[in-house]
Amino acid sequence: MDEPGTVVIVSRQGSDWTWPLHVLAERYAYRVVLAHSFSEALTTMATIHVDLAIAEDHAGEDAGLTFLTGLRVSHPDITRIYVTSNSDCISEPALSQAAIYQFLLKPVDASQLGLLVERALETRELARRHRILSREFKISGDGLIFGERKNAAFRAESQRFEKLVYVSAKMAELCDLARQAAKTELPILIEGETGTGKELLARAIHYNSMRRASPLLVQNCGGVPDELLQSELFGHKRGSFTGAISDRLGLFRAADGGTVFLDEISEVSPSFQVSLLRFLQEGEVKPLGSDRVTHCNVRIIVASNRRLKNLVARGEFRQDLYFRLKGFEFEVPSLRERPEDIGPLAEFFAAKHADAIGRKILGITANTIEKLSSGEFPGNVRELENEIRRMVALAKDGEYLTTRNMSATLLAASPRRSSEAVAFLPEGVTLKDQVESLEKQIVSRALVRNHWNQSRTANELGLSRVGLANKIKRYSLNEHGQQHQ
Ligand SMILES: Nc1ncnc2c1ncn2[C@@H]1O[C@H](COP(=O)(O)OP(=O)(O)OP(=O)(O)O)[C@@H](O)[C@H]1O
Ligand SMILES: [Mg+2]
């Protein structure tokens, strides 16, 4: 495991986790999230990647164990530890149903808990490696039946940034920068088409920042009338406008110490832009109908699927606000720009949705992955996920997902990468000329396929990097003007 791991503790009223939390976070460097209710814990698990959960019983009832039993079904790969005040009260069947790693008696000894968590996560990591190895064996076996599955057995394990799954170099670069940006206090602007994962990225950033123990609050700014939006964010005094029947704190103050994510920021009014700018410059919050200014400390992340830069050029968005917002700027690429992510995402969603409805899917056939990978997906990852969810629902237990389960529109779509379908045509007369022209076409297409990433291309073609560089030179290939003659 590259990172030490994330632990969620579901704390019950009246218990004090200060010391165990300190030991886990400081001595072991785990990321520890304290949830105050089961539902808060589930929200955290839906937002960030969690490795281990600790739940406790409360006043003699074993709701903690029931919660862990539910977790076994909804998040089977989260390791479970139970903390109880009285081991006599828990029944053997209930314990085995929850399939916990271990239980501990209260009061919890922080050092013992630390060691237990460490061992549990080691075991988990070993199990994970074992699964990967067995799967690779299985995939290479399936290849014989389902046709050659390009590079599947050798494909790098997909990477993750919290809930974001990817293999593409573009996403890897973006997530690396996002990890660094998370550690700073600067505002963040995330742009990208609909469904590309902007919100998932915003959440990942918050949970990788120093503010992760404080709230992340989300406001969608699209289609919200100006007055309402102002009051949602800055709060209002009772009676400040019709319908304001009581004081309202406002999101900024409610999130003090944490992060506020403003979605569809391109849609806000000029007067809201002024208020937001003032907030960014001075940290000032002035509730509607009040003349008292208060201060709060909130990090802002905004997202837009329209280019703010273009809106600025057209005078529809304040330039000073735009400059303030883009402390870091991210453009999440569309799925078209990273077709190599489609296969791993499809497999991830297939497993996820099969689990959710208890269907036993064996995988996705090579042909189907190929077909999906050439799909258009104007709705990006969200559309892909919907497609896979539908395919899983249509498949039967013990089957692979095949093109038969695909929706008609996707199936009918002509392959996007039509150049792939064009046959290789040797040119020249002599054998040497013809072989060379073929070699040139093969190298050139592999480079395009790998977005001119030379080490990956060399790898794919079984060449050394120097070998590839020589061929590029020999055939005068270049990134911007691919030569085919
Ligand atoms: N890289 C990814 N890995 C896993 N799931 C993803 C990824 N990208 C997006 N998703 C999933 O796709 C859906 C859309 O993601 P998200 O809501 O973050 O997109 P968005 O860019 O905010 O879209 P919109 O502009 O429409 O608000 C979600 O269900 C999310 O879980
Ligand atoms: Mg969104």
Side-chain angles (χ1 to χ4, degrees):
M1 227 170 359
D2 313 331
E3 307 209 329
T6 299
V7 177
V8 168
I9 300 175
V10 197
S11 145
R12 308 300 303 273
Q13 212 177 12
S15 38
D16 182 6
W17 284 92
T18 321
W19 190 237
L21 215 127
H22 174 81
V23 168
L24 289 172
E26 302 302 322
R27 199 181 303 165
Y28 289 91
Y30 294 127
R31 175 169 64 167
V32 190
V33 181
L34 193 64
H36 297 94
S37 67
F38 296 132
S39 63
E40 195 184 326
L42 287 174
T43 309
T44 306
M45 288 164 190
T47 309
I48 58 173
H49 182 76
V50 172
D51 301 290
L52 186 142
I54 302 173
E56 57 176 328
D57 66 10
H58 178 57
E61 40 90 353
D62 58 0
L65 197 57
T66 313
F67 170 73
L68 292 177
T69 310
L71 210 57
R72 180 186 180 186
V73 181
S74 61
H75 298 76
D77 52 350
I78 296 183
T79 304
R80 298 168 292 280
I81 290 179
Y82 181 47
V83 174
T84 174
S85 42
N86 185 355
S87 62
D88 296 342
C89 291
I90 43 178
S91 69
E92 277 302 324
L95 261 190
S96 69
Q97 222 183 356
I100 55 169
Y101 178 78
Q102 184 61 279
F103 69 83
L104 281 181
L105 284 177
K106 288 188 196 177
V108 172
D109 180 297
S111 305
Q112 188 188 1
L113 180 69
L115 197 60
L116 183 64
V117 168
E118 187 181 42
R119 290 288 170 269
L121 291 181
E122 275 168 12
T123 310
R124 183 175 183 280
E125 175 63 9
L126 286 176
R128 189 184 73 89
R129 289 189 193 177
H130 180 261
R131 260 198 322 274
I132 293 171
L133 285 175
S134 349
R135 193 167 66 222
E136 290 197 345
F137 274 120
K138 197 160 155 288
I139 286 173
S140 35
D142 290 342
L144 300 175
I145 311 169
F146 288 97
E148 192 199 350
R149 189 158 167 166
K150 255 191 240 150
N151 290 338
F154 306 105
R155 185 161 65 209
E157 259 293 280
S158 56
Q159 299 186 62
R160 288 192 161 227
F161 180 37
E162 302 303 345
K163 295 283 165 181
L164 289 163
V165 174
Y166 56 90
V167 293
S168 63
K170 285 200 173 90
M171 284 301 285
E173 197 181 314
L174 185 141
C175 291
D176 283 347
L177 183 61
R179 282 191 183 88
Q180 288 174 284
K183 305 280 179 254
T184 73
E185 289 285 284
L186 292 172
I188 290 183
L189 164 63
I190 305 175
E191 294 185 325
E193 291 180 15
T194 178
T196 44
K198 296 185 293 298
E199 179 157 352
L200 232 47
L201 179 65
R203 289 180 182 276
I205 290 173
H206 169 74
Y207 279 98
N208 280 270
S209 77
M210 302 304 283
R211 297 171 173 267
R212 62 173 169 251
S214 303
L216 164 72
L217 298 180
V218 179
Q219 174 68 45
N220 194 322
C221 305
V224 184
D226 193 48
E227 198 171 59
L228 186 59
L229 188 60
Q230 297 259 6
S231 105
E232 285 293 328
L233 293 178
F234 298 101
H236 63 238
K237 291 293 287 177
R238 183 176 163 195
S240 57
F241 59 92
T242 345
I245 47 172
S246 57
D247 285 0
R248 188 184 183 93
L249 186 62
L251 226 57
F252 284 137
R253 278 191 293 163
D256 202 8
T259 306
V260 166
F261 173 51
L262 301 175
D263 207 354
E264 296 194 49
I265 192 68
S266 57
E267 306 307 303
V268 301
S269 71
S271 94
F272 181 85
Q273 293 180 30
V274 174
S275 312
L276 185 59
L277 184 63
R278 191 167 57 225
F279 177 72
L280 284 167
Q281 281 166 340
E282 328 282 351
E284 274 182 9
V285 175
K286 191 162 153 289
L288 282 182
S290 156
D291 26 270
R292 270 204 38 220
V293 169
T294 50
H295 285 84
C296 67
N297 168 10
V298 162
R299 183 194 208 168
I300 303 287
I301 304 182
V302 301
S304 168
N305 43 35
R306 301 168 68 193
R307 284 288 199 126
L308 287 193
K309 196 172 162 191
N310 297 343
L311 298 182
V312 169
R314 291 209 300 269
E316 292 169 26
F317 200 88
R318 291 182 72 104
Q319 186 172 43
D320 45 6
L321 179 58
Y322 169 62
F323 285 138
R324 272 277 164 177
L325 288 173
K326 60 182 197 116
F328 280 93
E329 238 180 325
F330 293 96
E331 164 94 34
V332 187
S334 68
L335 214 44
R336 288 183 304 289
E337 296 165 82
R338 45 180 171 120
E340 63 273 40
D341 280 346
I342 293 180
L345 278 169
E347 281 167 351
F348 169 75
F349 291 137
K352 173 175 152 189
H353 293 294
D355 267 356
I357 60 169
R359 186 136 309 158
K360 307 271 176 292
I361 299 289
L362 295 182
I364 310 179
T365 63
N367 202 358
T368 311
I369 294 269
E370 201 116 301
K371 193 77 197 166
L372 286 168
S373 303
S374 61
E376 275 294 339
F377 299 109
N380 294 295
V381 186
R382 181 180 293 116
E383 186 181 349
L384 174 66
E385 178 165 10
N386 288 340
E387 174 73 17
I388 303 291
R389 187 190 291 122
R390 192 176 156 277
M391 289 171 73
V392 169
L394 290 176
K396 298 201 179 63
D397 269 345
E399 282 188 351
Y400 281 82
L401 297 186
T402 71
T403 47
R404 272 185 296 125
N405 312 119
M406 272 172 80
S407 59
T409 25
L410 255 181
L411 206 53
S414 56
R416 173 163 37 84
R417 279 175 292 166
S418 50
S419 64
E420 290 286 314
V422 176
F424 289 107
L425 283 178
E427 289 163 22
V429 181
T430 65
L431 180 63
K432 183 166 173 289
D433 282 350
Q434 292 199 35
V435 168
E436 283 190 349
S437 93
L438 275 181
E439 183 175 74
K440 179 174 165 181
Q441 290 173 45
I442 291 168
V443 172
S444 154
R445 286 186 197 184
L447 280 165
V448 172
R449 210 166 31 244
N450 289 295
H451 306 284
W452 273 78
N453 179 324
Q454 296 195 18
S455 31
R456 257 191 299 155
T457 309
N459 217 0
E460 181 183 318
L461 296 176
L463 293 171
S464 66
R465 282 209 53 170
V466 178
L468 176 66
N470 285 339
K471 297 209 186 294
I472 291 174
K473 202 161 142 213
R474 168 133 152 245
Y475 297 124
S476 326
L477 299 173
N478 69 67
E479 191 166 359
H480 305 291
Q482 286 273 318
Q483 298 202 356
H484 284 292
Q485 60 280 28

